[in-house]
Amino acid sequence: MNIFTNDVMKNKVVLVTGGATGIGKGIASLFGQYGAKVMIASRKEQVLVSAAKDLQQAGVEADLCVCDIREPAAVEQLMVAVRARFGGLDILVNNAAGNFPASIEQLSPNGFKTVVDIDLNGTFNMTKAAFEHFFKSAGGNIINISAPFAGWGVAYQAHAAAAKSGIDSLTRSCAVEWQRQGIRVNAVAPGAVIDTEGLERLSDALAGDAGSTNACQASDIANCVVFLASDAARFISGEIIRVDSATGVDLLKLPST
Ligand code: COA
């Protein structure tokens, strides 16, 4: 369903981390469909090349950059690449994340740290660099991808929930600090989205058929992200919007004792 005119993102430059697969690819595609120039970034070159080709074949001005968002130096290089390719940046979508199902008992300190590093510290690295390189002087728009369970307890996802709670907090703080600089910062918290690596990784631990019956599609998330990036949301900042049809995503089944 098209909720905007086809040129609503014309001349806008959007950078989507984790933009080669799943939700990120859906977001990159929708921005492209609405006329944006799109840079996708992730750690994996192969999937980036394939996704960029898909975007270009759909008529989108798109490019790719390999980047591990945990590395501030790599993030700096990404910003330089965006400037060189597109001349500026209007919208940053912090979508890249790492996850696996594990109980707290199974989680090593490095396992916990790895997910927090990717999700929370990576989002900070990207946000800070985009601010310094682009948004500080010209304003901008940031949309972070969170998770509904960040707001409450969830089994087998203590690491991801902690990281996403941090993202929610960072979202609110950035929104307040930067509101006078014309920078809006919001988050979208997707439910279980079908055809994503995230759902695949968690599916063994999914309770019953909650994953399939309640799952939404990447396009459902993308529609909300485009809305938040558009002028229709010009007075919305510091919000975390759940897009999960109120399913709550209380997905993971505790083992019987
Ligand atoms: N259960 C428990 N611990 C796990 C685990 C699992 N299923 N998978 C990884 N870990 C732990 C590792 O054991 C390691 O800790 P250790 O050093 O104490 O053994 C730590 O996490 C780091 O794992 P590693 O594979 O070295 O890190 P990485 O940076 O290469 O990979 C991950 C990052 C862990 C997020 C990995 O799952 C990944 O690459 N995922 C792909 C992207 C993804 O997650 N997509 C879904 C997004 S929702």
Side-chain angles (χ1 to χ4, degrees), residues 43 70 97-100 102 108 110-111 114 118 197-198 201:
R43 282 187 294 164
R70 289 175 285 192
N99 200 4
F100 50 80
S108 70
N110 192 42
T114 298
I118 299 171
E197 188 184 348
R201 279 171 168 256

Side-chain angles (χ1 to χ4, degrees), residues 90-93 135 139-143 182-186 228-230:
D90 301 289
I91 300 151
L92 167 65
V93 183
F135 298 163
N141 216 304
I142 301 172
I143 295 106
I183 303 167
R184 291 191 297 107
V185 189
N186 291 289
L228 287 171
S230 76

Side-chain angles (χ1 to χ4, degrees), residues 14-221:
V14 60
L15 167 58
V16 185
T17 64
T21 55
I23 296 173
K25 188 175 182 188
I27 292 168
S29 302
L30 194 63
F31 272 105
Q33 190 183 309
Y34 282 130
K37 299 167 191 173
V38 180
M39 178 70 93
I40 53 175
S42 95
R43 282 187 294 164
K44 298 176 192 157
E45 184 164 17
Q46 211 176 338
V47 288
L48 278 172
V49 169
S50 163
K53 201 181 283 176
D54 288 348
L55 286 167
Q56 287 155 359
Q57 278 171 356
V60 179
E61 197 176 337
D63 209 340
L64 64 93
C65 187
V66 177
C67 176
D68 186 337
I69 60 170
R70 289 175 285 192
E71 301 297 336
V75 168
E76 280 296 304
Q77 282 175 5
L78 170 58
M79 298 300 153
V80 170
V82 170
R83 166 118 22 226
R85 180 66 174 80
F86 295 121
L89 181 68
D90 301 289
I91 300 151
L92 167 65
V93 183
N94 283 312
N95 164 78
N99 200 4
F100 50 80
S103 67
I104 296 165
E105 195 176 348
Q106 291 165 329
L107 264 179
S108 70
N110 192 42
F112 186 87
K113 179 180 179 296
T114 298
V115 170
V116 171
D117 271 350
I118 299 171
D119 295 17
L120 177 56
N121 298 342
T123 294
F124 176 79
N125 293 339
M126 287 295 302
T127 298
K128 170 98 173 148
F131 175 77
E132 294 293 348
H133 281 260
F134 302 106
F135 298 163
K136 193 172 166 174
S137 54
N141 216 304
I142 301 172
I143 295 106
N144 298 323
I145 302 303
S146 180
F149 54 66
W152 56 84
V154 63
Y156 291 109
Q157 288 287 272
H159 44 320
K164 297 293 192 182
S165 296
I167 288 174
D168 290 355
S169 174
L170 186 64
T171 300
R172 296 187 188 100
S173 298
C174 290
V176 171
E177 276 201 26
W178 294 339
Q179 46 113 352
R180 291 194 184 150
Q181 283 157 286
I183 303 167
R184 291 191 297 107
V185 189
N186 291 289
V188 174
V193 179
I194 55 167
D195 297 330
T196 61
E197 188 184 348
L199 189 61
E200 209 172 284
R201 279 171 168 256
L202 299 179
S203 60
D204 286 348
L206 287 177
D209 61 358
S212 56
T213 56
N214 293 327
C216 62
Q217 299 179 7
S219 57
D220 294 313
I221 309 307

